[in-house]
Amino acid sequence: MMTPADLKVLMNHIYEYRKGVRQLVLYTCNARYEEFAVDRLTRQGIGYVIQPVGNSRVNLFFGRKECLDAIRLMVTKPLNRLTPEEDFILGALLGYDIRVQCERYCQRKCHTCHRAI
């Protein structure tokens, strides 16, 4: 069974997805919780993609079909090996702050980002 904190995080992600706050969610958890999480998503008719991370952890992407289709095409390697462009797209799909994603992209792409005054 999942710990209360893990369960709370998963349930909050599902709630936000159901309310339309998020179109795609990335939930990283211990692999021993994978079956519980997948069962919960399946019972609610929510699509998902699983990506093993290592160290007994998995990334569980869930959300809209169109977003998951993009994940299946783009996330074919560990997240830390994504190109700066793939990383940017993933962050945008996950609804991360676009300004922060732009800064992250510039840092990863150029290793230095010059800020306008």
Side-chain angles (χ1 to χ4, degrees):
M1 184 66 180
M2 298 179 86
T3 67
D6 292 318
L7 181 59
K8 186 175 181 178
V9 170
L10 175 62
M11 298 312 290
N12 186 65
H13 284 324
I14 292 172
Y15 174 82
E16 288 181 350
Y17 170 73
R18 286 275 186 219
K19 291 295 182 182
V21 173
R22 299 173 183 256
Q23 301 299 306
L24 179 69
V25 175
L26 169 56
Y27 175 64
T28 303
C29 65
N30 190 295
R32 68 178 172 227
Y33 304 145
E34 178 183 335
E35 184 178 344
F36 177 88
V38 164
D39 181 61
R40 180 63 62 126
L41 294 172
T42 301
R43 283 189 284 124
Q44 294 195 31
I46 301 172
Y48 61 89
V49 171
I50 299 170
Q51 179 195 42
V53 175
N55 296 328
S56 300
R57 300 185 67 72
V58 295
N59 284 332
L60 180 59
F61 294 92
F62 64 90
R64 303 279 180 238
K65 179 191 179 310
E66 299 81 3
C67 296
L68 293 174
D69 289 345
I71 293 299
R72 285 184 189 95
L73 292 171
M74 185 176 56
V75 182
T76 58
K77 55 194 164 209
L79 297 183
N80 65 352
R81 294 188 52 219
L82 294 177
T83 66
E85 291 80 10
E86 291 166 333
D87 182 79
F88 181 86
I89 293 167
L90 177 59
L93 285 170
L94 290 168
Y96 296 168
D97 181 304
I98 201 69
R99 182 190 59 78
V100 174
Q101 284 305 112
C102 289
E103 287 178 354
R104 178 177 167 90
Y105 173 75
C106 290
Q107 289 169 354
R108 291 192 70 210
K109 187 71 175 182
C110 306
H111 303 292
T112 58
C113 218
H114 299 83
R115 293 185 178 202
I117 298 179

